[in-house]
Amino acid sequence: MFKTKQFLVELFGTPQGVVAFLGAYGAELPGLFAVEKWFKRESVPSDWLVILLAYLEIEQGAPVSLKKYLGE
């Protein structure tokens, strides 16, 4: 399984960090309550995960490596 909580915490810190990150790019924003659920449920809806990955790629200038977030 994908270690979603670790991914979120390491790359964004908090739910507010996710919203601020997307907001800095002028992206459509999920509601803070929804993002809090992502952290709590350890799951990001696939549409939002792709958006996060795309903006992370823009931010870092290269695709984000996800291999460290693969579970056993």
Side-chain angles (χ1 to χ4, degrees):
M1 298 301 288
F2 188 72
K3 297 176 186 174
T4 305
K5 179 92 178 242
Q6 181 183 349
F7 168 80
L8 290 170
V9 170
E10 288 183 3
L11 294 171
F12 304 103
T14 64
Q16 295 85 353
V18 172
V19 174
F21 173 78
L22 291 172
Y25 284 98
E28 181 179 342
L29 299 177
L32 181 59
F33 183 69
V35 179
E36 288 171 346
K37 286 183 184 179
W38 300 353
F39 278 74
K40 183 178 179 181
R41 294 180 180 164
E42 300 185 19
S43 177
V44 177
S46 59
D47 288 347
W48 282 110
L49 182 58
V50 173
I51 291 169
L52 291 174
L53 291 172
Y55 280 107
L56 284 168
E57 182 174 342
I58 292 168
E59 173 94 359
Q60 297 181 9
V64 177
S65 176
L66 300 176
K67 64 184 175 187
K68 74 185 263 182
Y69 305 109
L70 291 177
E72 298 175 15

